[in-house]
């Protein structure tokens, strides 16, 4: 496996240190509706937010969250985790080596299966701006066949504090290349089958 970058990725500890100080803004403590998807049972929504909202069980119940996806390596499980009637909680951490598709496919399947059950989803990190934005954009790329720029633009339009830059954006470009390669391989296989 090759490294995605010769530069090390920003660690969770770096973001957490900043998140507790000047970097953290009031908009980071919110959760914003990013996508709405029609399902057989009605409608399901994807929200993006920070850990403060992910820990607020009353808020999660108010907006009918069925899955909370923590995309940070070092934010612990919330106090409500495992309680009867609480949302399902999972941790997913972005890959640091290629290929990235298998890891993002795992997140895509988690989110999609909740949406198919008409359960709303909250994707969160510390501030809900960097890692959560990256993961929400990755979901959009896979679900709606968007390129990384359009996916980030749509997420940012719904949550303006979203900042997918540097190594996070590079993850999306690597994912985009892998998705295009997979689509090309599928098209070639389909043409061969028809010949």
């Amino acid at each position: 496996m090759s490294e995605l970058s010769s530069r090390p990725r920003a660690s969770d500890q770096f973001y957490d240190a900043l998140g507790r100080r000047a970097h953290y803004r009031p908009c980071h403590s919110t959760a914003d509706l990013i996508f709405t998807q029609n399902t057989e049972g009605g409608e399901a929504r994807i929200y993006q937010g920070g850990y403060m909202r992910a820990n607020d069980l009353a808020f999660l119940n108010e907006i009918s969250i069925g899955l909370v996806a923590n995309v940070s390596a070092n934010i612990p499980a919330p106090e409500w985790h495992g309680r009867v009637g609480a949302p399902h909680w999972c941790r997913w951490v972005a890959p640091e080596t290629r290929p990235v598709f298998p890891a993002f496919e795992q997140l895509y399947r988690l989110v999609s299966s909740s949406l198919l059950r008409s359960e709303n989803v909250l994707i969160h990190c510390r501030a809900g701006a960097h890692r959560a934005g990256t993961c929400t954009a990755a979901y959009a790329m896979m679900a709606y066949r968007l390129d990384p720029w359009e996916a980030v633009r749509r997420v940012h339009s719904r949550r303006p504090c979203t900042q997918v830059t540097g190594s996070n954006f590079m993850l999306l470009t690597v994912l985009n290349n892998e998705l295009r390669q997979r689509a090309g391989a599928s098209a070639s296989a389909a043409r061969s089958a028809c010949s």
Side-chain angles (χ1 to χ4, degrees):
M1 289 189 192
S2 63
E3 290 299 315
L4 289 174
S5 159
S6 58
R7 293 177 43 198
R9 292 186 45 163
S11 70
D12 285 343
Q13 292 167 338
F14 173 77
Y15 280 121
D16 291 345
L18 291 174
R20 293 189 186 110
R21 293 185 179 85
H23 178 72
Y24 200 76
R25 297 177 177 89
C27 65
H28 294 164
S29 65
T30 63
D32 294 302
L33 173 61
I34 308 297
F35 295 111
T36 301
Q37 185 168 317
N38 292 324
T39 66
E40 288 182 16
E43 190 174 83
R45 298 181 171 114
I46 298 176
Y47 292 85
Q48 180 182 315
Y51 81 102
M52 291 171 66
R53 281 303 194 187
N55 287 336
D56 185 347
L57 185 56
F59 170 76
L60 298 174
N61 288 334
E62 182 181 315
I63 62 171
S64 304
I65 295 294
L67 171 67
V68 174
N70 171 5
V71 296
S72 298
N74 67 342
I75 296 175
E79 290 182 14
W80 53 258
H81 176 54
R83 288 188 193 167
V84 174
H88 177 70
W89 180 88
C90 69
R91 179 186 320 274
W92 182 90
V93 179
E96 293 192 17
T97 58
R98 292 180 183 169
V100 300
F101 174 79
F104 279 109
E105 182 183 37
Q106 179 187 31
L107 178 66
Y108 174 81
R109 289 180 189 273
L110 280 167
V111 171
S112 293
S113 63
S114 289
L115 295 175
L116 286 172
R117 292 190 301 269
S118 297
E119 296 175 352
N120 295 337
V121 175
L122 172 64
I123 298 174
H124 83 92
C125 59
R126 178 70 60 190
H130 306 98
R131 292 164 287 179
T134 302
C135 293
T136 306
Y139 176 84
M141 288 170 60
M142 297 175 81
Y144 308 118
R145 296 188 175 123
L146 301 176
D147 65 43
W149 299 271
E150 180 62 16
V152 170
R153 189 194 67 73
R154 288 194 189 185
V155 172
H156 185 267
S157 73
R158 295 299 192 117
R159 185 168 172 83
C161 69
T162 299
Q163 295 180 8
V164 180
T165 59
S167 61
N168 287 325
F169 192 78
M170 188 166 57
L171 271 175
L172 296 182
T173 59
V174 171
L175 175 61
N176 188 53
N177 290 338
E178 291 179 14
L179 288 170
R180 288 174 38 201
Q181 289 171 354
R182 294 175 68 82
S186 295
S188 292
R191 283 192 298 272
S192 294
C194 292
S195 299

